[in-house]
Amino acid sequence: MSTEVRQMFSSIAPRYDVTNEVLSFGVHRLWRRTAVRLSGAKEGSTVLDCATGTGDLAMVFKRKVGGTGRVVGTDFCPEMLESAPAKAAKAGLQVEFQVADALALPFADNSFDVASIAFGIRNVDDPVKCLKEMARVVRPGGRVVVLEFGQPNGVFGALFRFYSKSIMPAIGGMLTGNRAAYEYLPRTSANFPAGDKFVALMEQAGAYSERAAHPLTFGTAYVYVGTVR
């Protein structure tokens, strides 16, 4: 799956930001700020953002940790990272970016206060291994934060599923030229464990003393927070 996912993100990378903004109506900005708040990051913290893409979450973290803090953004798709350094520099933010796989991070144990991944863990080959690997590079008592789509219920859930299956592929395909990518992304969201089921994956990882799920926008997304043992 990794090779296919890398190729897919490579193809949509040039139009990823504008497409994400259109499809989410800008709500993703609020979700990222919530993830940073729940991470416990503060002035001077060291943060690793996995599957950073074009660096949006890494930049929110950098604003939080300030000049004395350090933020590293990694992604296994070089094309997704291409625009990230200039994007951060334009915002006046010093963020380090490098190509790395979230399943095999090139960092020593206990290197960071916080590790995060936004809308990326459902695309890795082994989510539990990813949760273990992220915990490995975080100091004991630090936090791993996962922002991921959920599966809302009720009337809102029905509307969300219609939007995801019908509207999102059409708009995403029009903006990027790759409709298949925007059929794949909602499909993986619908099939990926959410809420208590994802918390169970965190428990299975065996790396967290505390685990919590925070629903956002009627369960459309979740922020999962694990405190590293």
Side-chain angles (χ1 to χ4, degrees), residues 94-114:
Q94 186 176 0
V95 180
E96 303 167 41
F97 293 103
Q98 66 182 83
V99 177
D101 192 330
L103 294 176
L105 295 168
F107 306 105
D109 297 359
N110 310 328
S111 295
F112 298 93
D113 298 309
V114 173

Side-chain angles (χ1 to χ4, degrees), residues 4-211:
E4 294 177 3
V5 171
R6 186 183 291 112
Q7 291 173 344
M8 179 192 72
F9 277 108
S10 173
S11 74
I12 65 176
R15 299 286 291 170
Y16 181 79
D17 278 350
V18 66
T19 306
N20 196 29
E21 190 72 20
V22 170
L23 292 176
S24 73
F25 303 100
V27 175
H28 66 100
R29 297 175 182 270
L30 175 61
W31 292 347
R32 287 188 173 91
R33 288 196 296 269
T34 301
V36 171
R37 176 175 58 81
L38 292 171
S39 75
K42 57 184 183 296
E43 182 81 27
S45 293
T46 54
V47 179
L48 171 66
D49 183 40
C50 301
T52 196
T54 60
D56 283 340
L57 184 56
M59 290 167 60
V60 180
F61 268 115
K62 183 57 180 175
R63 291 188 179 96
K64 183 69 174 180
V65 305
T68 60
R70 178 192 181 207
V71 177
V72 180
T74 64
D75 202 287
F76 80 152
C77 179
E79 291 82 2
M80 285 294 289
L81 284 175
E82 280 182 2
S83 65
K87 187 175 170 181
K90 184 177 180 180
L93 300 169
Q94 186 176 0
V95 180
E96 303 167 41
F97 293 103
Q98 66 182 83
V99 177
D101 192 330
L103 294 176
L105 295 168
F107 306 105
D109 297 359
N110 310 328
S111 295
F112 298 93
D113 298 309
V114 173
S116 63
I117 185 167
F119 308 115
I121 199 164
R122 73 182 189 277
N123 295 318
V124 303
D125 287 333
D126 188 339
V128 173
K129 182 179 179 181
C130 182
L131 289 167
K132 290 179 180 178
E133 181 67 352
M134 292 174 70
R136 179 186 67 78
V137 301
V138 172
R139 62 169 176 80
R143 292 178 178 174
V144 168
V145 178
V146 178
L147 173 59
E148 191 52 84
F149 285 111
Q151 294 107 38
N153 298 314
V155 175
F156 184 85
L159 291 172
F160 177 72
R161 286 188 291 277
F162 172 76
Y163 175 76
S164 298
K165 292 179 180 178
S166 301
I167 307 300
M168 188 179 293
I171 296 176
M174 179 178 65
L175 292 175
T176 66
N178 188 344
R179 182 186 176 102
Y182 288 90
E183 292 173 338
Y184 166 85
L185 293 169
R187 185 169 67 250
T188 56
S189 298
N191 295 330
F192 194 71
D196 291 341
K197 293 180 180 178
F198 187 84
V199 173
L201 293 183
M202 298 180 78
E203 186 170 358
Q204 186 179 336
Y208 304 98
S209 58
E210 297 178 15
R211 301 157 296 278

